[in-house]
Coordinates of all heavy atoms in Angstrom, one line a residue:
R1 N 3.3 -0.1 -8.9 CA 4.2 0.7 -9.7 C 3.9 0.6 -11.2 O 4.0 -0.5 -11.7 CB 5.6 0.4 -9.4 CG 6.6 1.3 -10.1 CD 8.0 1.0 -9.8 NE 8.5 0.0 -10.6 CZ 9.8 -0.3 -11.0 NH1 10.8 0.5 -10.5 NH2 10.1 -1.3 -11.8
L2 N 3.6 1.7 -11.8 CA 3.4 1.7 -13.3 C 4.7 2.1 -14.0 O 5.5 2.9 -13.5 CB 2.3 2.7 -13.6 CG 1.0 2.6 -12.9 CD1 0.0 3.6 -13.5 CD2 0.4 1.2 -13.1
S3 N 4.9 1.5 -15.1 CA 6.1 1.8 -15.9 C 5.6 2.2 -17.3 O 4.6 1.8 -17.8 CB 7.0 0.6 -16.0 OG 7.5 0.2 -14.8
C4 N 6.4 3.1 -18.0 CA 6.1 3.5 -19.3 C 7.4 3.5 -20.1 O 8.3 4.2 -19.7 CB 5.5 4.9 -19.3 SG 5.3 5.7 -20.9
A5 N 7.5 2.8 -21.1 CA 8.6 2.7 -22.0 C 8.3 3.5 -23.2 O 7.3 3.3 -24.0 CB 8.9 1.3 -22.4
A6 N 9.2 4.5 -23.5 CA 9.1 5.3 -24.7 C 10.0 4.8 -25.8 O 11.1 4.3 -25.6 CB 9.5 6.7 -24.3
S7 N 9.5 4.9 -27.0 CA 10.3 4.5 -28.2 C 10.0 5.5 -29.3 O 9.1 6.3 -29.3 CB 10.0 3.0 -28.6 OG 8.6 2.9 -28.9
G8 N 10.7 5.3 -30.4 CA 10.5 6.1 -31.6 C 11.4 7.3 -31.5 O 12.6 7.2 -31.2
S9 N 10.9 8.5 -31.7 CA 11.6 9.8 -31.8 C 11.8 10.3 -30.4 O 11.3 11.3 -30.0 CB 10.9 10.8 -32.7 OG 10.8 10.3 -34.0
I10 N 12.7 9.6 -29.6 CA 12.9 9.9 -28.2 C 13.4 11.4 -28.0 O 13.1 12.0 -27.0 CB 13.9 9.0 -27.5 CG1 13.4 7.5 -27.6 CG2 14.2 9.3 -26.1 CD1 12.1 7.3 -27.0
S11 N 14.2 11.8 -29.0 CA 14.7 13.2 -28.8 C 13.6 14.3 -28.8 O 13.9 15.4 -28.4 CB 15.8 13.5 -30.0 OG 15.1 13.4 -31.2
R12 N 12.4 14.0 -29.3 CA 11.3 14.9 -29.3 C 10.7 15.1 -28.0 O 9.9 16.0 -27.8 CB 10.4 14.6 -30.3 CG 10.9 14.5 -31.8 CD 9.8 14.4 -32.8 NE 9.0 15.6 -32.8 CZ 9.2 16.5 -33.8 NH1 10.2 16.4 -34.6 NH2 8.4 17.6 -33.7
I13 N 10.9 14.1 -27.1 CA 10.3 14.2 -25.7 C 10.8 15.2 -24.8 O 12.1 15.4 -24.7 CB 10.4 12.8 -25.1 CG1 9.6 11.7 -25.8 CG2 9.9 12.9 -23.6 CD1 9.8 10.3 -25.2
N14 N 9.9 16.0 -24.2 CA 10.3 17.0 -23.3 C 9.8 16.6 -21.9 O 10.4 15.7 -21.3 CB 9.7 18.4 -23.7 CG 10.2 19.5 -22.9 OD1 11.3 19.5 -22.3 ND2 9.4 20.5 -22.7
T15 N 8.7 17.1 -21.4 CA 8.2 16.7 -20.2 C 7.4 15.4 -20.4 O 6.9 15.1 -21.4 CB 7.2 17.8 -19.7 OG1 7.9 19.0 -19.4 CG2 6.5 17.3 -18.4
M16 N 7.4 14.5 -19.3 CA 6.6 13.3 -19.4 C 5.7 13.3 -18.1 O 5.9 14.1 -17.2 CB 7.5 12.1 -19.3 CG 8.4 11.9 -20.6 SD 9.2 10.3 -20.7 CE 7.8 9.3 -21.2
G17 N 4.7 12.5 -18.2 CA 3.7 12.5 -17.1 C 2.8 11.4 -17.1 O 2.9 10.4 -18.0
W18 N 1.9 11.4 -16.2 CA 0.8 10.4 -16.2 C -0.5 11.1 -16.0 O -0.6 12.1 -15.2 CB 1.0 9.5 -14.9 CG 2.2 8.5 -15.0 CD1 3.4 8.8 -14.6 CD2 2.1 7.2 -15.6 NE1 4.2 7.6 -15.0 CE2 3.4 6.7 -15.5 CE3 1.2 6.4 -16.2 CZ2 3.8 5.4 -16.0 CZ3 1.5 5.2 -16.7 CH2 2.8 4.7 -16.6
H19 N -1.5 10.7 -16.7 CA -2.9 11.2 -16.6 C -3.7 10.0 -16.4 O -3.3 8.8 -16.6 CB -3.3 11.9 -17.9 CG -2.6 13.2 -18.1 ND1 -1.3 13.3 -18.4 CD2 -3.2 14.5 -18.2 CE1 -1.0 14.6 -18.6 NE2 -2.1 15.3 -18.5
R20 N -4.9 10.2 -15.9 CA -5.8 9.1 -15.6 C -7.3 9.5 -16.0 O -7.6 10.6 -16.0 CB -5.7 8.6 -14.2 CG -6.3 9.6 -13.1 CD -6.1 9.1 -11.7 NE -6.6 10.0 -10.7 CZ -6.4 9.9 -9.5 NH1 -5.7 8.8 -9.0 NH2 -6.9 10.8 -8.6
Q21 N -8.0 8.4 -16.3 CA -9.4 8.6 -16.6 C -10.1 7.8 -15.6 O -10.2 6.5 -15.6 CB -9.8 8.0 -18.0 CG -11.2 8.2 -18.4 CD -11.5 9.7 -18.7 OE1 -11.0 10.2 -19.6 NE2 -12.5 10.3 -18.0
V22 N -10.8 8.5 -14.6 CA -11.5 7.9 -13.6 C -13.0 7.8 -14.1 O -13.5 8.7 -14.6 CB -11.4 8.6 -12.3 CG1 -12.4 8.0 -11.2 CG2 -10.0 8.6 -11.8
P23 N -13.6 6.6 -13.9 CA -15.0 6.5 -14.3 C -15.9 7.6 -13.8 O -15.9 7.9 -12.6 CB -15.4 5.1 -13.8 CG -14.2 4.4 -13.8 CD -13.1 5.4 -13.3
G24 N -16.6 8.2 -14.7 CA -17.5 9.3 -14.3 C -16.9 10.6 -14.2 O -17.6 11.6 -13.9
K25 N -15.6 10.7 -14.3 CA -14.9 12.0 -14.2 C -14.1 12.4 -15.5 O -13.9 11.5 -16.3 CB -13.9 12.0 -13.0 CG -14.6 11.8 -11.7 CD -13.6 11.7 -10.5 CE -12.9 13.1 -10.3 NZ -12.0 13.0 -9.2
Q26 N -13.8 13.6 -15.5 CA -13.0 14.1 -16.6 C -11.6 13.6 -16.5 O -11.1 13.5 -15.4 CB -13.1 15.7 -16.7 CG -12.5 16.3 -17.9 CD -12.8 17.8 -17.9 OE1 -13.2 18.4 -16.9 NE2 -12.6 18.4 -19.1
R27 N -10.9 13.4 -17.6 CA -9.5 13.0 -17.7 C -8.7 14.1 -16.9 O -8.9 15.3 -17.1 CB -9.0 12.8 -19.1 CG -7.6 12.2 -19.2 CD -7.4 11.7 -20.6 NE -8.2 10.7 -21.0 CZ -8.1 10.0 -22.2 NH1 -7.1 10.3 -23.0 NH2 -9.0 9.1 -22.5
E28 N -7.8 13.6 -16.1 CA -7.1 14.6 -15.3 C -5.6 14.2 -15.2 O -5.1 13.1 -15.4 CB -7.6 14.5 -13.9 CG -7.5 13.2 -13.2 CD -8.1 13.2 -11.8 OE1 -8.5 14.3 -11.3 OE2 -8.2 12.1 -11.1
L29 N -4.8 15.3 -14.9 CA -3.4 15.2 -14.7 C -3.1 14.5 -13.4 O -3.7 14.9 -12.4 CB -2.8 16.5 -14.8 CG -1.3 16.6 -14.3 CD1 -0.4 15.9 -15.3 CD2 -0.8 18.0 -14.2

């Protein structure tokens, strides 16, 4: 389980997500 804590200007956040960079592949949603 991955967690992500947001801080700073929280009110500016709309959609959130996760992307990944798999070795040898393009960064993907």
Side-chain angles (χ1 to χ4, degrees):
R1 189 180 77 158
L2 306 183
S3 298
C4 171
S7 61
S9 302
I10 302 300
S11 63
R12 300 189 69 93
I13 294 176
N14 189 27
T15 299
M16 297 192 73
W18 291 91
H19 291 66
R20 69 185 180 187
Q21 183 73 60
V22 175
K25 298 180 65 177
Q26 193 172 13
R27 189 167 296 187
E28 63 182 353
L29 170 70

